Amino acid sequence: MLKKALALTLAISCFGPFVHAQEREESLVMSAGDSFRRNWNVTFFSIASVSNMSYGKTASGDRSLESYNYFGFNNKIDADTKFSVRLPFTYNTSGRNKYDDQVAATADLQDIHFAYSKYDLGYIGDIDISGNVKLYLPTSPYSQNSKMVTKVRFEGYFEYAIGRFSSITYAVKPDIYWQRQTAYFDPETPQYDDGGYKKDPRSTTKQYSFENYVEAVIDINKYFSVKPKVGFDEDWYYSSDVEDLEGSHVTRLRAGLGLEMRPMRGLTFTLGFQNQTTLGSYKGKDVAYWQPENTQYSLMTNAYVF
């Protein structure tokens, strides 16, 4: 049970669901810069949410609001190709965190990354194929503490368009991690008054991840779309002989629904909720779907800056 607990804690703590937003919204926002005949533009992305509570915890007061944000500096190589440098940061308001501890407001730099985007990789019948390759630098506190060297993400999108905005997309996103160590000590592990830790502060590092999902964009009118989504996340973790921790493989089912709003060209908002269930028993209990503590509510923003 320990290896599952460690893997689940790490997965929840690293903004996993936040940074996996589909690139469709950003590509629409970036295209707004084309109307000014510029080969470069700056965009802003943000997703704000209240995180899930840690296993067995309930909030006793106002929750802290967490947000993952970045400014994208984008260069248009040709009509279908763009290169971006993204400067991400998190900002968390004061309040009760996932452990029900009172925390102050914080802001931290996250992993700076480079993205190469190809919006036209051809067709399979009427299915449009696009993709991205992303390279991440270990500039976040988490990556530096866990001694990550780099991460490479490959993203592929297979989209069947229905009208101007409506579509059905199948997305695949494998990640490969290069690590300098197979385990690390989490300095944010909550402690008792006597200095003891409320859970094991040791965690193993990731080897690979694989996300795949199906998302529909159902056009209501030119301003609003409904976006149901369902898929799976897979994470593989190293074992550590030094810390005597076993490796693990964690599978999570994610399902959600969003309402996309396009008030003007170059600006989109998406209100959504998402439920995440770890498949397999946890602490001796069977899998329980659609538990309130596993549901997150979020607001995603994509904006063209200049």
Side-chain angles (χ1 to χ4, degrees), residues 222-225 259-264 267-271 299-300:
K222 67 178 182 179
Y223 297 110
F224 297 97
S225 296
L259 175 65
E260 181 179 282
M261 297 165 282
R262 300 176 291 272
M264 58 184 293
L267 179 64
T268 67
F269 299 102
T270 304
L271 284 170
L299 172 64
M300 184 170 66

Side-chain angles (χ1 to χ4, degrees), residues 22-303:
Q22 193 188 102
E23 296 286 300
R24 174 186 177 274
E25 292 84 357
E26 182 172 272
S27 66
L28 290 173
V29 168
M30 289 171 66
S31 68
D34 296 343
S35 63
F36 297 99
R37 300 185 183 278
R38 291 176 176 171
N39 289 331
W40 65 272
N41 58 55
V42 178
T43 52
F44 175 71
F45 171 88
S46 176
I47 185 162
S49 175
V50 175
S51 69
N52 297 337
M53 292 300 295
S54 183
Y55 185 82
K57 298 291 184 179
T58 56
S60 60
D62 292 337
R63 296 293 308 282
S64 172
L65 180 67
E66 302 178 351
S67 67
Y68 175 89
N69 322 272
Y70 65 72
F71 286 98
F73 300 86
N74 316 296
N75 180 62
K76 179 182 176 183
I77 300 173
D78 57 40
D80 300 310
T81 310
K82 289 184 173 68
F83 176 79
S84 304
V85 179
R86 297 172 178 175
L87 303 181
F89 61 95
T90 56
Y91 176 73
N92 301 338
T93 64
S94 60
R96 314 296 295 189
N97 67 8
K98 64 183 179 181
Y99 301 112
D100 196 36
D101 293 330
Q102 182 68 34
V103 294
T106 59
D108 288 302
L109 177 69
Q110 295 302 296
D111 291 332
I112 296 171
H113 54 283
F114 307 93
Y116 177 82
S117 303
K118 191 72 174 178
Y119 297 117
D120 186 5
L121 290 174
Y123 285 82
I124 300 177
D126 293 327
I127 299 175
D128 186 12
I129 306 173
S130 60
N132 307 293
V133 179
K134 299 177 182 178
L135 177 68
Y136 292 76
L137 302 180
T139 52
S140 67
Y142 164 74
S143 294
Q144 292 178 5
N145 181 57
S146 63
K147 302 297 190 295
M148 186 183 84
V149 177
T150 188
K151 177 180 76 172
V152 177
R153 170 175 294 164
F154 302 93
E155 300 178 349
Y157 301 96
F158 303 83
E159 181 179 12
Y160 179 75
I162 307 170
R164 183 179 178 185
F165 292 108
S166 299
S167 64
I168 299 175
T169 298
Y170 175 63
V172 293
K173 301 181 181 183
D175 294 338
I176 302 173
Y177 294 80
W178 279 267
Q179 312 277 14
R180 289 202 295 268
Q181 58 190 38
T182 57
Y184 76 102
F185 178 89
D186 184 0
E188 296 185 358
T189 304
Q191 296 178 267
Y192 295 106
D193 294 337
D194 62 2
Y197 290 99
K198 295 182 180 180
K199 67 180 185 65
D200 194 329
R202 303 170 302 161
S203 294
T204 54
T205 55
K206 282 185 182 180
Q207 284 183 288
Y208 310 104
S209 296
F210 180 69
E211 177 188 10
N212 68 109
Y213 60 81
V214 175
E215 181 178 58
V217 179
I218 304 169
D219 182 24
I220 299 174
N221 54 41
K222 67 178 182 179
Y223 297 110
F224 297 97
S225 296
V226 176
K227 301 172 62 178
K229 177 179 177 180
V230 63
F232 294 91
D233 289 346
E234 308 272 351
D235 291 309
W236 289 263
Y237 294 85
Y238 285 102
S239 60
S240 174
D241 294 334
V242 174
E243 297 293 339
D244 193 26
L245 298 174
E246 296 182 10
S248 61
H249 171 209
V250 179
T251 301
R252 296 181 299 278
L253 169 66
R254 289 201 290 124
L257 183 68
L259 175 65
E260 181 179 282
M261 297 165 282
R262 300 176 291 272
M264 58 184 293
R265 191 177 184 201
L267 179 64
T268 67
F269 299 102
T270 304
L271 284 170
F273 75 90
Q274 176 177 267
N275 186 273
Q276 177 175 282
T277 300
T278 301
L279 303 182
S281 62
Y282 179 63
K283 291 191 174 181
K285 296 184 178 181
D286 294 333
V287 177
Y289 297 93
W290 294 104
Q291 297 302 296
E293 63 269 21
N294 295 332
T295 300
Q296 292 176 291
Y297 300 89
S298 63
L299 172 64
M300 184 170 66
T301 303
N302 269 292

